[in-house]
Amino acid sequence: MYKVLLADDESLITLGLTALLDWEDYGFEIAYTAESGEEALAYLKENQIDLLITDILMAEMSGLELVKKAKEIQPLIKSIVLTGYQEFGFIKQGLLLGIENYLVKPVDEEELLVTVKNVGQKLNAVKGSDHPQETTTLRDNTLWRFINGEIDKNDFLERMALYDIQFNQPFYLVSILNFEHYQKTPILKDIRNFIEEYYSATCLYSPNQELIIIFGSTNEEELVKWNQSLVNQLCDEQKGIGLFYLTMGKPVKTMDELEVSFTVASEYSLLQLYSEPNVLISDRLTIDRQEELKRQQEFKENIVKQLLIADEETFQMIDSFFHYLTKKSTFISPQAVNKYTFDLISYIHYSLQPDDLSHYTSAVERMVYSSDVHQVKAILKEYCHELILSINNQVHMRSPIVQNVLEFIHARYDQGLSLKTLGQQFHVNAIYLGQLFQKEVGVVFSEYLNRYRLEKAKELLKTSHYRAGEIGKKVGYSDTTYFYKQFKKIIGTTPSEWRKI
């Protein structure tokens, strides 16, 4: 576990940060909380710390002074600063000190999570090395949030100005580079520097382990030409990246449309499945999508049929599924593998509608953090194995009262339901109903209802454009904050992260 030191003269802030994330899930633990810079320094002199999170303004010693002195004591320490307002004069000083990011209070959970994940990747990358990785988290996080529509244009341009990066070209295009040796930090750094040196482009490394390239030019034709030129250079020079796919988004006329170009690039990235590696993937790739979709649908229907009869042949079909994913190349990006596998698991789940949602939820949660084809394959096999056992052991002679309650929940989960209201609805004692429900369904009523609502929320996140807070209310949560907390606790990601999976 990497050690975290929190420093803020407001104890409510440190308490809030401690509770905001499940730190251990991401490889971190809160080692100490200090109420002043002096107290933090005293602790740093005696204890190894990997990540310092400090308020930028504290009495006697500022957060930036603390960061500077902390680096003198522990040169490899990573730092994040908190500010109650966007004061770019302070932030520029922070950049010189190598801070990873600055977060405006109240701290945005998603921005904190992305930053912590990136810090974790850097710490993993430099283990056993005397050469710490160049700090790019702040810039990458800002770019990532903008192309995902999470920060406005003015905020984005102000942050980019800190790096003397301007977006004043008449045309832009977002491309995604997936390559085989993406986990090798020196190679990633070299290819990133190469692209930014030889092209009019800005790169960022996404939380999904993809190299995102934002090209800018005076005309659309040049943008397309640069993408093909980059493919040719990568093929000729290799640069140690191994097999790769470069996916080109849609050329757009303003930086406001970068999100559109990125969305198109992400969709085309899934076409890796139908293409040889070391190529440019764009709307010019000719495949019979309808035929491929038909083939995938037939496979999904067949695997559901095998599961219904609890046939062990299901596992052979899973092997065939992953063979199909890699039929064109031994390399396919983790993001594409996760997307196709997620679609399959979701189809199985919604086709069979099992009462026990835990296996499905667990499988998806584990997939979110997997970055290897073999891991994803093992997760899918384990999910199907648990499903077969569940089908084999299912008690079909469920009492009519519990069956009626389940059907009522499935139809009216968005309403205010409780054992008391259900007891009144079905003319049965609420305490007895709760005991009977737990005995026959396997979980207590409140947990079942909570998980069922979250499954419906996940479905809406994938199939609608409602904001996360609106979706929480649509599935029965009157308190938006409680919805966010339950989603993060049970699913393991925020609603916005889930939408992007």
Side-chain angles (χ1 to χ4, degrees):
M1 288 285 176
Y2 293 118
K3 307 289 185 181
V4 181
L5 170 59
L6 303 179
D8 198 305
D9 50 13
E10 296 182 56
S11 58
L12 284 176
I13 298 297
T14 53
L15 285 172
L17 286 172
T18 302
L20 194 58
L21 297 182
D22 292 324
W23 292 89
E24 293 186 1
D25 289 350
Y26 307 104
F28 291 83
E29 63 175 316
I30 307 297
Y32 191 74
T33 58
E35 295 186 1
S36 68
E38 291 81 358
E39 184 183 352
L41 274 182
Y43 186 83
L44 281 164
K45 289 176 182 177
E46 302 294 331
N47 301 275
Q48 178 65 38
I49 289 294
D50 301 291
L51 174 61
L52 167 66
I53 302 180
T54 177
D55 187 12
I56 204 167
L57 293 177
M58 292 187 291
E60 297 184 21
M61 181 186 295
S62 74
L64 294 181
E65 289 179 283
L66 173 58
V67 169
K68 182 178 179 181
K69 292 181 179 181
K71 281 188 172 291
E72 293 173 358
I73 299 170
Q74 299 186 28
L76 299 185
I77 194 171
K78 305 293 183 185
S79 301
I80 298 171
V81 297
L82 311 177
T83 176
Y85 50 91
Q86 296 187 4
E87 177 49 71
F88 287 95
F90 285 117
I91 301 306
K92 286 181 180 178
Q93 296 176 45
L95 288 176
L96 296 175
L97 294 172
I99 64 171
E100 298 298 313
N101 203 356
Y102 79 92
L103 306 177
V104 179
K105 297 178 184 177
V107 175
D108 180 83
E109 179 184 346
E110 291 184 45
E111 187 170 9
L112 175 62
L113 178 59
V114 169
T115 305
V116 167
K117 282 184 179 179
N118 285 336
V119 170
Q121 289 176 1
K122 288 185 178 184
L123 291 170
N124 290 334
V126 301
K127 269 185 178 179
S129 171
D130 294 327
H131 305 286
Q133 186 180 353
E134 178 188 358
T135 298
T136 55
T137 303
L138 175 56
R139 191 184 80 168
D140 284 7
N141 182 61
T142 301
L143 287 163
W144 176 252
R145 296 187 70 207
F146 184 70
I147 65 175
N148 281 281
E150 295 176 1
I151 56 174
D152 63 39
K153 179 180 176 180
N154 291 333
D155 188 5
F156 171 70
L157 290 176
E158 284 182 324
R159 295 189 186 205
M160 287 295 98
L162 299 172
Y163 296 94
D164 293 325
I165 296 176
Q166 297 181 345
F167 286 83
N168 51 15
Q169 296 281 11
F171 293 94
Y172 291 96
L173 183 149
V174 180
S175 296
I176 301 174
L177 178 63
N178 295 111
F179 55 95
E180 191 174 7
H181 301 315
Y182 64 91
Q183 292 179 317
K184 296 183 178 179
T185 303
I187 292 175
L188 171 62
K189 184 177 178 181
D190 287 346
I191 192 63
R192 177 177 185 151
N193 291 340
F194 167 76
I195 293 171
E196 292 188 334
E197 181 179 352
Y198 285 94
Y199 295 93
S200 176
T202 301
C203 298
L204 67 139
Y205 192 53
S206 81
N208 298 327
Q209 301 176 312
E210 299 173 314
L211 187 63
I212 313 296
I213 310 165
I214 303 174
F215 291 97
S217 178
T218 55
N219 61 81
E220 291 186 32
E221 292 74 18
E222 191 168 43
L223 292 172
V224 177
K225 188 183 298 182
W226 282 347
N227 273 265
Q228 189 57 61
S229 171
L230 177 56
V231 168
N232 294 338
Q233 286 183 293
L234 293 177
C235 287
D236 294 340
E237 302 176 30
Q238 284 298 307
K239 298 187 178 298
I241 67 173
L243 302 175
F244 71 89
Y245 292 96
L246 181 66
T247 306
M248 186 176 75
K250 172 186 175 183
V252 293
K253 292 184 178 180
T254 66
M255 60 167 292
D256 303 73
E257 298 178 282
L258 283 175
E259 183 181 357
V260 174
S261 185
F262 175 59
T263 299
V264 172
S266 299
E267 291 173 357
Y268 288 153
S269 184
L270 297 175
L271 300 182
Q272 296 172 35
L273 185 63
Y274 314 111
S275 173
E276 300 290 343
N278 299 5
V279 296
L280 176 64
I281 298 177
S282 68
D283 57 357
R284 303 178 185 186
L285 180 64
T286 55
I287 62 167
D288 188 342
R289 293 295 301 276
Q290 292 302 317
E291 182 61 32
E292 290 295 340
L293 289 172
K294 180 182 176 182
R295 186 179 305 173
Q296 289 177 33
Q297 183 63 25
E298 289 176 352
F299 176 83
K300 291 175 183 177
E301 291 173 358
N302 287 333
I303 200 167
V304 165
K305 289 176 183 176
Q306 297 300 323
L307 284 167
L308 280 171
I309 60 175
D311 195 327
E312 293 294 325
E313 189 179 330
T314 301
F315 302 108
Q316 296 175 18
M317 295 185 69
I318 292 174
D319 288 332
S320 299
F321 171 72
F322 281 90
H323 177 72
Y324 176 69
L325 289 182
T326 55
K327 66 178 180 180
K328 288 286 187 179
S329 169
T330 54
F331 169 70
I332 180 173
S333 72
Q335 189 72 358
V337 171
N338 284 5
K339 177 64 170 63
Y340 283 109
T341 309
F342 170 77
D343 286 346
L344 176 58
I345 286 181
S346 295
Y347 181 85
I348 292 171
H349 174 73
Y350 288 109
S351 296
L352 299 180
Q353 287 289 323
D355 292 330
D356 186 353
L357 305 177
S358 61
H359 302 314
Y360 172 69
T361 303
S362 173
V364 173
E365 287 173 359
R366 292 170 59 199
M367 277 181 54
V368 169
Y369 301 108
S370 63
S371 58
D372 179 86
V373 176
H374 301 293
Q375 288 178 2
V376 176
K377 183 177 179 179
I379 292 168
L380 179 57
K381 283 191 171 183
E382 184 177 332
Y383 168 69
C384 289
H385 176 69
E386 295 291 344
L387 208 51
I388 287 174
L389 290 177
S390 178
I391 292 170
N392 278 334
N393 299 329
Q394 188 174 3
V395 179
H396 297 286
M397 298 301 292
R398 182 173 285 152
S399 63
I401 182 64
V402 170
Q403 188 60 42
N404 288 336
V405 167
L406 286 171
E407 291 173 3
F408 194 86
I409 291 172
H410 296 169
R412 305 185 187 186
Y413 58 87
D414 58 335
Q415 301 176 12
L417 300 180
S418 67
L419 284 172
K420 182 179 179 180
T421 59
L422 289 169
Q424 293 171 347
Q425 174 71 26
F426 295 102
H427 310 291
V428 64
N429 179 273
I431 296 175
Y432 170 72
L433 178 59
Q435 294 172 339
L436 186 63
F437 188 95
Q438 182 176 4
K439 178 181 178 181
E440 295 193 10
V441 179
V443 294
V444 297
F445 164 77
S446 58
E447 181 181 347
Y448 182 88
L449 176 61
N450 195 35
R451 285 185 174 271
Y452 193 83
R453 283 172 169 168
L454 292 175
E455 291 303 321
K456 289 298 180 181
K458 285 157 58 178
E459 186 177 348
L460 283 174
L461 285 166
K462 289 291 186 182
T463 59
S464 76
H465 297 291
Y466 292 118
R467 296 176 66 86
E470 293 178 86
I471 287 175
K473 291 179 180 178
K474 284 182 177 294
V475 298
Y477 293 94
S478 58
D479 186 335
T480 301
T481 302
Y482 181 71
F483 166 64
Y484 274 95
K485 288 182 178 178
Q486 287 298 305
F487 199 100
K488 180 66 173 63
K489 178 182 177 182
I490 303 298
I491 308 304
T493 70
T494 65
S496 296
E497 287 180 318
W498 172 267
R499 179 166 258 161
K500 296 169 190 171
I501 296 174

